[in-house]
Amino acid sequence: MFTSIKRLLIGRPLKSYELGEQKLNKTKALAILSSDALSSVAYGPEQILIVLFTISSAAFWYSIPIAVGVLILLTALILSYRQIIFAYPHGGGAYVVSKSNLGINAGLVAGGSLLVDYILTVAVSVSSGTDAITSAFPALHGYNVEIAIVFVLFITILNLRGVTESASVLAYPVYLFVFALFILIGVGIYKIASGGVPPHLHTPIGTPVAGISLFILLRAFASGSSALTGVEAISNAIPNFKAPAPKNAAKTLMAMGALLAILFSGIVFLAYYYGIAPSEKVTVVSQIAEDTFGRNFVYFFIQGTTALILILAANTGFSAFPLLAVNLAKDKFIPRMFLIRGDRLGYSNGIIILGISSILLIIAFHAKTEHLIPLYAIGVFLPFTLSQSGMMVKWLREKPQGWVPKFFINTTGALISFTVTIIFLVTKFTQVWPILIFLPAIVYHFHRIRKHYEAVGDQLSLKTCEPSFPIEGNVMIVPVAGMTHVVENTLNYVKSLSPDQIIAVYVSFDRDDEKQFEERWKKWQPDVRLVTLYSYYRSIINPLTKFVDTVEHKAREGNYRVTVVIPQFIPKKGWQNILHNQSSLLIRTFLLYRRNVVVTTVPYHLKK
C-alpha cells in the first residue's frame, strides 16, 4: 500500500542515466529559481511603507529615493553573483566562495545562514501567498496556518517528483505573475499620465516631514532590501542547468535582475502616487490593483497570480536547499544522507527535511509574514556580505586581467550588504536576536559532525595501527520464550554453524514455571544446554544482559566471541506487528551497544 501511494504521488523511479533529462533550460530555470526574488516584489515595497508609516503618510515620498538605493544594491549583487557563477561554476554560492577565500568558519556561517534562510524562504513565501488569498477572501483569515501547511505539502510532493516536472508546473504561474504585474504597472502609469489619479493622494517629493531621521530612513531601506532575497539562488543551483551551465545560469541571473528591477520600481512608484497605506488585512499590491481596476476579473487575476507566485516562490528554497546541503555534506559538515538521490533523481532527503522544518516554522509563527521577514532578510544579507568580501579577497590575491572593475563591484556590494545587515541587527534586534544564538550553535554542530566523520574514518581505515584480535571460537546464546517452531528454527540454524557452545536462556517470573520449563526442555532439546534466570522484577532485559556480560567476560579470556542469536517471528501483514510485544527488538536494542557481543536475528515468517 505504501509503495502504491508513493508511486501515485511522486511517480515511477528514474534510472541513473536519465539524470541528464532533469537539467533545466533558461526558461524553466528562470521560473523556479527566480520565483523567490520576483515574488518579493509583493511584500518588499510594503515593508518600506510600514516603516515610513510610523512617522506619517506624508513620509511616503521617501519610498522613491529608498527604492533607488535598493536598485543600486540589486545592480551590485547581480553583477557580483554573475562573477561568482563564472568563478565557481560547480555551484555552492556564498558557502563555497566564503570557505575558499575567507576560511572554513566564514563558509560555515554563510552556509548555515543560507540553510536557515531557505527554510524561512518557504515559510515566508507560503505565508505571504496565504495573506494574498485571505486579502481577496476575508472569510478565510482564521485559516491562514492550515492553508499554508497544505501548500507546503503540495510543493514538497511536487519537488519529490523531480526538478523538470516541478519546473514545468511552476513556469506558468511565474510568467503569469510577471504578465499580470506588467499590466498593473502599465495601466497604472497610463492612468497617472492621463490624469485619472488625483495628485492630492500623495505628498510631493521633497516635502519636509516632521520626525523623519536618518535612522528611520536606513531602517526603511533595510526593510525594502528584503525584496532582494533569493538573488543568490541561481549561483547555488548551477548544477541544475543544461550545458553550458555557467553561461545559462549567468543569462538567467541577468534576466531575473532586469525583471525584478522593473517590477519593484513600478510597484513602489504606484504605491507612492496612489497614496497607498499599509494595512494588516489588505496587501499593498491588492490595494493598487483595486484602485486601478476595481474588484473585477482583472483584480482577481492579479491577486490570484500574486498568491500563486508567493506560494510557489517557496520552490526556490526547494531547488537551492538540497544543493547547498550536498556541498556541506560533501565536506562532512552535515549528515551524508543529504548526498543520496531519491527515486526521481532529486536529493529527496533535503526536500523532505526542508518541508518539515518550514511547516514547524509556520506553526510556531502562526503564518505571520511580518514576524518572519526580518529574520529571513538578515539570513540573506549576512551571506551576501561574506560572499562579496570573499570575492574581494579572491581578486586581490589572484589579480587576473581586468580585476579592478570586478573588485569595485564586489566592494560596493559588500559595503551595502554589510550596512543592511547592521541596520537589521540594530533596528529590529527584538526580532532578529535569535540569529545570534542559533548561528553559532549551527557552526558548532557543523564542526562536531565533521569531527565525528573524521574519527570514524580514522578508526575504519586499514592504514591505522589498530590491532585485530583473532577469534578462536564462538559461544552462541539463544534467548527463548518457549518451545515453538520459531525457537526450533533458530536452534537448527545455530547448530548448522557448528559453534563451540550453544546456550539457550530462559527468563522466568515464576519458580514453578521455571522447573516445569527445564523438565520439558530436557525432553525436547537434550543436546542444547539451558540456563534459566529468575527475574524478581518481571524484566527480561536486566537478567539477560547481565548473563551475556558474564559469559562475554569469560569468553574474552580465551579469545572467544559471544553471539546472541534472537528468534523472531514475522507476521504476514505489517500492521499485525502492533499486536505483539516486540521483545526481540528490545533485546537487540540493548545488546547492540555491548562492545564485544555480536547480535543476529533469525526470522520465522508466518504463513497467515
Side-chain angles (χ1 to χ4, degrees):
M1 183 182 295
F2 172 77
T3 303
S4 300
I5 294 173
K6 182 180 178 182
R7 293 289 160 261
L8 177 66
L9 292 176
I10 69 173
R12 68 172 181 85
L14 297 177
K15 296 177 180 178
S16 297
Y17 66 77
E18 296 179 89
L19 181 60
E21 299 172 15
Q22 296 296 303
K23 300 295 184 180
L24 299 171
N25 58 32
K26 294 188 291 292
T27 304
K28 289 184 177 180
L30 181 62
I32 69 167
L33 295 174
S34 301
S35 54
D36 179 27
L38 295 178
S39 70
S40 59
V41 169
Y43 56 80
E46 187 166 9
Q47 295 303 307
I48 297 175
L49 298 179
I50 288 173
V51 175
L52 295 176
F53 195 52
T54 58
I55 302 299
S56 72
S57 58
F60 286 169
W61 72 264
Y62 282 102
S63 63
I64 301 299
I66 288 171
V68 172
V70 173
L71 292 178
I72 293 171
L73 175 57
L74 171 64
T75 303
L77 290 174
I78 292 293
L79 293 176
S80 179
Y81 274 103
R82 185 178 183 277
Q83 294 172 177
I84 289 174
I85 286 171
F86 288 110
Y88 298 92
H90 299 295
Y95 165 66
V96 172
V97 175
S98 303
K99 185 189 72 169
S100 302
N101 299 291
L102 301 177
I104 289 178
N105 286 324
L108 293 180
V109 169
S113 297
L114 285 173
L115 284 181
V116 175
D117 175 61
Y118 290 134
I119 298 171
L120 288 164
T121 294
V122 177
V124 168
S125 299
V126 173
S127 299
S128 299
T130 305
D131 286 343
I133 292 173
T134 55
S135 292
F137 304 99
L140 297 175
H141 266 299
Y143 302 97
N144 277 36
V145 173
E146 291 82 357
I147 294 170
I149 291 173
V150 169
F151 281 125
V152 171
L153 291 174
F154 169 74
I155 299 170
T156 302
I157 292 170
L158 193 62
N159 278 273
L160 288 173
R161 294 185 66 87
V163 175
T164 54
E165 191 157 342
S166 62
S168 299
V169 173
L170 297 176
Y172 297 104
V174 173
Y175 289 119
L176 279 176
F177 169 76
V178 173
F179 176 66
L181 282 202
F182 269 117
I183 292 175
L184 176 62
I185 293 169
V187 174
I189 291 174
Y190 173 77
K191 286 188 70 173
I192 291 171
S194 61
V197 180
H200 66 79
L201 293 177
H202 63 276
T203 305
I205 294 176
T207 302
V209 179
I212 199 73
S213 65
L214 179 62
F215 180 81
I216 293 293
L217 294 177
L218 289 174
R219 185 179 173 190
F221 170 71
S223 296
S225 296
S226 62
L228 306 184
T229 54
V231 168
E232 83 296 333
I234 291 175
S235 67
N236 279 324
I238 299 172
N240 278 345
F241 281 84
K242 287 186 175 180
K247 288 185 178 179
N248 288 331
K251 290 178 180 178
T252 304
L253 179 68
M254 298 301 288
M256 179 192 70
L259 286 174
L260 181 55
I262 294 169
L263 298 180
F264 178 80
S265 54
I267 294 299
V268 169
F269 176 73
L270 291 183
Y272 157 69
Y273 210 90
Y274 281 35
I276 300 294
S279 168
E280 184 177 346
K281 292 189 176 181
V282 185
T283 62
V284 166
V285 172
S286 176
Q287 293 182 66
I288 294 173
E290 187 171 2
D291 288 352
T292 303
F293 301 104
R295 292 181 78 87
N296 56 18
F297 170 77
V298 180
Y299 166 79
F300 285 104
F301 173 68
I302 292 170
Q303 279 300 98
T305 55
T306 302
L308 270 176
I309 193 175
L310 283 168
I311 292 167
L312 299 181
N315 202 72
T316 297
F318 281 99
S319 300
F321 180 95
L323 291 174
L324 175 60
V326 165
N327 280 294
L328 284 162
K330 283 180 179 177
D331 293 335
K332 302 178 183 178
F333 288 116
I334 61 175
R336 288 178 178 169
M337 69 175 188
F338 288 102
L339 294 171
I340 300 172
R341 290 187 181 271
D343 286 354
R344 302 288 290 181
L345 298 178
Y347 294 106
S348 52
N349 287 330
I351 293 169
I352 293 169
I353 293 296
L354 176 58
I356 293 172
S357 301
S358 57
I359 286 174
L360 294 175
L361 204 59
I362 287 169
I363 294 172
F365 283 84
H366 305 288
K368 296 291 185 181
T369 308
E370 64 274 14
H371 295 162
L372 291 169
I373 286 178
L375 196 61
Y376 172 42
I378 197 170
V380 175
F381 280 95
L382 187 55
F384 279 177
T385 304
L386 290 170
S387 63
Q388 308 312 307
S389 302
M391 291 301 290
M392 289 168 59
V393 172
K394 177 181 175 65
W395 303 136
L396 285 172
R397 185 173 59 230
E398 298 177 4
K399 294 183 179 176
Q401 186 176 3
W403 68 274
V404 175
K406 296 177 180 179
F407 178 79
F408 176 76
I409 290 170
N410 290 126
T411 302
T412 303
L415 289 174
I416 301 177
S417 298
F418 178 72
T419 303
V420 173
T421 304
I422 296 300
I423 292 169
F424 265 111
L425 280 172
V426 173
T427 62
K428 297 181 181 290
F429 183 78
T430 56
Q431 292 172 282
V432 303
W433 64 264
I435 200 169
L436 300 177
I437 296 175
F438 68 68
L439 198 51
I442 289 172
V443 173
Y444 170 75
H445 283 94
F446 283 161
H447 283 294
R448 288 291 301 272
I449 291 170
R450 179 156 184 172
K451 283 182 179 179
H452 167 74
Y453 280 129
E454 289 174 346
V456 170
D458 289 341
Q459 293 177 73
L460 297 182
S461 174
L462 294 175
K463 297 177 182 178
T464 59
C465 299
E466 186 76 21
S468 59
F469 297 98
I471 299 175
E472 297 180 5
N474 210 323
V475 177
M476 292 199 168
I477 298 173
V478 183
V480 298
M483 285 168 274
T484 63
H485 284 304
V486 184
V487 175
E488 183 180 42
N489 177 61
T490 303
L491 290 174
N492 288 338
Y493 170 75
V494 171
K495 290 174 184 177
S496 71
L497 299 177
S498 301
D500 296 272
Q501 189 176 1
I502 303 173
I503 304 173
V505 180
Y506 177 72
V507 179
S508 172
F509 302 153
D510 183 88
R511 292 293 187 186
D512 293 334
D513 171 70
E514 182 179 349
K515 292 179 181 178
Q516 292 175 10
F517 190 87
E518 288 175 346
E519 291 173 0
R520 285 187 289 135
W521 184 271
K522 288 178 182 178
K523 296 177 182 179
W524 185 53
Q525 296 286 344
D527 57 335
V528 177
R529 177 188 171 191
L530 174 70
V531 173
T532 56
L533 305 172
Y534 181 73
S535 176
Y536 291 92
Y537 299 101
R538 300 157 304 284
S539 167
I540 295 175
I541 301 298
N542 288 339
L544 179 61
T545 53
K546 286 180 180 178
F547 177 77
V548 170
D549 289 341
T550 301
V551 175
E552 189 276 324
H553 181 72
K554 293 181 179 178
R556 197 189 320 159
E557 297 173 358
N559 290 332
Y560 275 60
R561 178 57 55 92
V562 172
T563 301
V564 179
V565 186
I566 303 173
Q568 182 176 356
F569 66 84
I570 310 297
K572 186 176 182 180
K573 298 183 183 296
W575 66 267
Q576 294 171 341
N577 280 298
I578 63 175
L579 304 177
H580 305 282
N581 58 21
Q582 306 299 326
S583 297
S584 59
L585 292 177
L586 288 172
I587 294 170
R588 186 164 65 244
T589 301
F590 273 85
L591 293 178
L592 275 175
Y593 292 94
R594 293 298 193 276
R595 182 179 295 274
N596 296 310
V597 175
V598 176
V599 182
T600 187
T601 301
V602 179
Y604 182 85
H605 292 271
L606 301 179
K607 297 178 181 178
K608 58 182 179 178

